[in-house]
Amino acid sequence: MKTFSALSFLLVCALLTGCRSTGDMIIQYESHLLVGAYSEAADITQREAERKNNDELMWRLLCGNARMLAADSPSAAEQFDLAEDLFIANDTQSVFASAGENTKAMLGSDASFKYNGVGQDRIFCCLYKAIEYAVQGNVAATRTELNRASQYQENWLFDRRKDIANAQERLDKEMSKVPEKERVAGVDASGAQRDQVLSDEAFRNSVLARCGIDSSAPVDLSRLAEAEYSNAYVAYFTGVFRWLNGDGGRGFLRDAANWRPECHPAAQDFNANSSGATPGNDVWFFVEDGLCSSREEWRVDLPLFILPGLGQYVLYAGMALPALLERDAAAISYQAVTPESPAGTPLALLESIDELLKVEYEIYMKGAIAREISRAIVKTSAQIALGIAADNADSMGAFYSLKAAQIGAGAWAASTTEADIRSWVSLPKYVYTQHLQRPANGKISLVANTATGNEMLQLDIPEGNTIVWVRKLSPTTPMVAKIVTYPSPPGAR
């Protein structure tokens, strides 16, 4: 009887670990953000972006966000511009539909694809560019970027349908290329039996539940309500900007009020705008709170479940999926305190970015689970085929040659089984808003009520109509503010 040690396999796997992962770099980036070291966080991500690899788009977005917090508006806008260039390049073809270079990714892991971003990534990229141009006093550029953000929001459904179709088409094409020798024990890696083997309801439900998906009510794009995927923050900000600059804004204010009817400032502004009112010496707060949900890897061992009775030939079999990890808010509530209102005016919840990202995540996961099932079949089948061939070899030379190939197949399976945990992790969890009259002395204190105590941000508001953008990342991270003021037009209320 021939025997063979798995020591070589373990050594190969060890050699494949030890380099700094994308996840490690994201953690380092976040750790700098949370202590207020924004320039350092930006430097980390800019260096990574300059590598020009598949993660460049993500690093540009993260870098631009950090430059915003560091009050470096020109550099922030530059990074978002570079990110926009990558988005535009991706417009010509879905990353899933690209030929050649993505064959390995389709059979390896989603983490090997170019980072394509999601709908909210693109919308926020333009929104943040608009904010930075507003800070620089460039009204025309601000308007252009807000128009782009709105257009990307309108394209959201079309883009999601396109991505789903391209991903499935590419998966079917790559699975059809799997050699006959990698189809073992009647399991066809490209056919219906693949689903029968791995689609056991209990298993699928456990995967979906762990990843935060309700399997009893999967996302159906044809039935998705507009409010479920539309960003009221972008709509309201755009409506206010247009209102203050003589561009109307009624449609955007209406959308924000319709999508988030519980947000009273949006409804009140829509009514005021519709009545022809002209703001004068008014103040709008837009407060971005906390960090949005991130992704963590969840690995599942599968050898006995996939092919019972053949597990002895499998050196590694598994799946890796990204589970959605919800994170804490930075504050419990916010209040704007003025000399005229010493008790404070509460800010209203305008948008939950977590809810928007969850919709996009569930859409992504519908395809990701199918791809991981197919990959597990292919990777496991290859090892089994080589193991069976080795056991039936007619010479020791052939035996060791086949065993070496089996080890290589197992090492490849282990090294490429990874979840795609890349995301724009520095987006906010919630967005709050409020519309106030500017106090006579221009003094407004924004109070963040946190689990560790209250934080107060003292603001001097110039005369005119003012937009105040505030970012608070965590209970202990100080608030960062940007103030943009436009002259009150003649005849303002």
Side-chain angles (χ1 to χ4, degrees):
M1 180 178 175
K2 302 180 180 76
T3 59
F4 195 86
S5 171
L7 177 60
S8 299
F9 169 71
L10 297 175
L11 290 174
V12 170
C13 291
L15 291 173
L16 294 170
T17 61
C19 59
R20 228 166 173 189
S21 70
T22 299
D24 292 335
M25 298 305 294
I26 291 174
I27 290 172
Q28 186 179 1
Y29 166 80
E30 282 191 332
S31 67
H32 280 85
L33 285 187
L34 293 174
V35 296
Y38 306 127
S39 294
E40 291 83 349
D43 290 343
I44 289 169
T45 48
Q46 189 160 348
R47 284 196 299 269
E48 292 299 313
E50 294 304 326
R51 297 177 187 273
K52 305 287 185 180
N53 58 25
N54 286 349
D55 301 336
E56 182 184 357
L57 174 56
M58 180 189 69
W59 296 128
R60 296 292 182 196
L61 296 172
L62 294 174
C63 182
N65 222 167
R67 296 291 184 207
M68 283 185 79
L69 295 170
D72 188 351
S73 288
S75 294
E78 179 186 17
Q79 290 300 315
F80 290 132
D81 266 334
L82 291 170
E84 181 72 12
D85 290 342
L86 294 168
F87 277 122
I88 292 171
N90 289 340
D91 282 346
T92 59
Q93 193 173 43
S94 165
V95 293
F96 292 116
S98 301
E101 66 181 28
N102 282 334
T103 299
K104 181 180 177 182
M106 187 59 79
L107 296 179
S109 77
D110 279 7
S112 300
F113 287 114
K114 286 183 178 179
Y115 182 77
N116 196 35
V118 291
Q120 294 305 320
D121 281 14
R122 191 155 194 174
I123 291 167
F124 267 99
C125 180
C126 291
L127 172 63
Y128 284 163
K129 270 198 290 183
I131 291 171
E132 293 308 322
Y133 285 134
V135 169
Q136 297 173 49
N138 191 335
V139 174
T142 303
R143 182 182 294 108
T144 296
E145 294 304 329
L146 290 176
N147 288 344
R148 284 178 176 170
S150 299
Q151 185 61 55
Y152 295 143
Q153 182 144 276
E154 288 183 14
N155 293 346
W156 189 92
L157 269 179
F158 171 80
D159 290 340
R160 300 293 75 73
R161 290 191 180 105
K162 182 181 69 174
D163 284 345
I164 290 171
N166 285 334
Q168 187 59 50
E169 178 183 359
R170 190 64 187 172
L171 175 62
D172 292 341
K173 185 180 296 183
E174 294 309 326
M175 290 303 109
S176 69
K177 296 178 182 178
V178 176
E180 198 68 35
K181 68 180 181 180
E182 294 186 4
R183 301 176 186 181
V184 178
V187 178
D188 183 344
S190 65
Q193 193 166 354
R194 171 193 65 206
D195 296 328
Q196 182 179 349
V197 173
L198 283 179
S199 295
D200 175 88
E201 200 61 33
F203 170 73
R204 288 179 63 82
N205 285 344
S206 69
V207 172
L208 296 173
R210 178 63 182 84
C211 296
I213 297 176
D214 179 5
S215 59
S216 65
V219 171
D220 182 348
L221 289 180
S222 66
R223 299 183 179 182
L224 202 59
E226 190 176 32
E228 292 182 79
Y229 63 83
S230 296
N231 191 324
Y233 174 26
V234 173
Y236 188 35
F237 191 100
T238 302
V240 170
F241 169 82
R242 283 179 167 272
W243 196 13
L244 300 185
N245 286 278
D247 297 336
R250 181 176 182 275
F252 295 100
L253 296 173
R254 178 199 61 218
D255 287 343
N258 287 341
W259 295 336
R260 301 295 178 266
E262 67 280 7
C263 183
H264 299 301
Q268 291 166 359
D269 280 352
F270 168 62
N271 292 331
N273 181 282
S274 298
S275 70
T278 303
N281 261 356
D282 287 14
V283 182
W284 282 263
F285 279 93
F286 293 93
V287 178
E288 296 188 2
D289 173 90
L291 292 172
C292 67
S293 296
S294 61
R295 298 182 180 189
E296 62 176 350
E297 184 174 84
W298 179 50
R299 298 178 76 92
V300 187
D301 293 327
L302 297 172
L304 296 178
F305 179 78
I306 295 178
L307 296 171
L310 296 174
Q312 71 269 27
Y313 295 112
V314 180
L315 296 173
Y316 179 82
M319 288 170 49
L321 293 163
L324 205 59
L325 178 65
E326 188 173 342
R327 297 186 284 182
D328 293 335
I332 300 167
S333 63
Y334 293 88
Q335 290 181 311
V337 178
T338 67
E340 290 83 352
S341 300
T345 302
L347 269 64
L349 179 64
L350 172 61
E351 187 59 270
S352 169
I353 307 305
D354 272 358
E355 289 301 314
L356 295 176
L357 295 180
K358 185 178 180 183
V359 171
E360 295 187 338
Y361 168 80
E362 291 190 19
I363 292 169
Y364 162 77
M365 283 295 289
K366 289 172 71 174
I369 291 172
R371 289 190 292 276
E372 278 298 286
I373 288 173
S374 298
R375 289 164 183 152
I377 292 276
V378 171
K379 294 173 184 178
T380 306
S381 297
Q383 296 171 66
I384 293 172
L386 291 165
I388 292 174
D391 278 356
N392 291 280
D394 55 8
S395 70
M396 291 301 294
F399 168 76
Y400 284 114
S401 177
L402 288 165
K403 277 296 185 181
Q406 183 188 14
I407 288 172
W412 175 74
S415 65
T416 58
T417 300
E418 58 176 329
D420 187 359
I421 60 169
R422 298 170 298 176
S423 65
W424 191 346
V425 294
S426 52
L427 290 178
K429 180 181 182 69
Y430 299 124
V431 180
Y432 293 88
T433 192
Q434 190 52 267
H435 176 188
L436 308 170
Q437 275 293 120
R438 176 184 179 273
N441 65 358
K443 305 287 186 183
I444 300 181
S445 298
L446 181 65
V447 179
N449 305 301
T450 77
T452 58
N454 292 343
E455 177 190 350
M456 183 175 292
L457 179 65
Q458 304 279 2
L459 298 166
D460 288 317
I461 307 298
E463 290 191 1
N465 290 312
T466 298
I467 294 175
V468 181
W469 179 87
V470 177
R471 186 73 175 96
K472 184 166 177 59
L473 296 166
S474 75
T476 57
T477 310
M479 288 184 275
V480 173
K482 297 177 185 289
I483 298 175
V484 179
T485 302
Y486 300 103
S488 296
R493 65 187 182 191

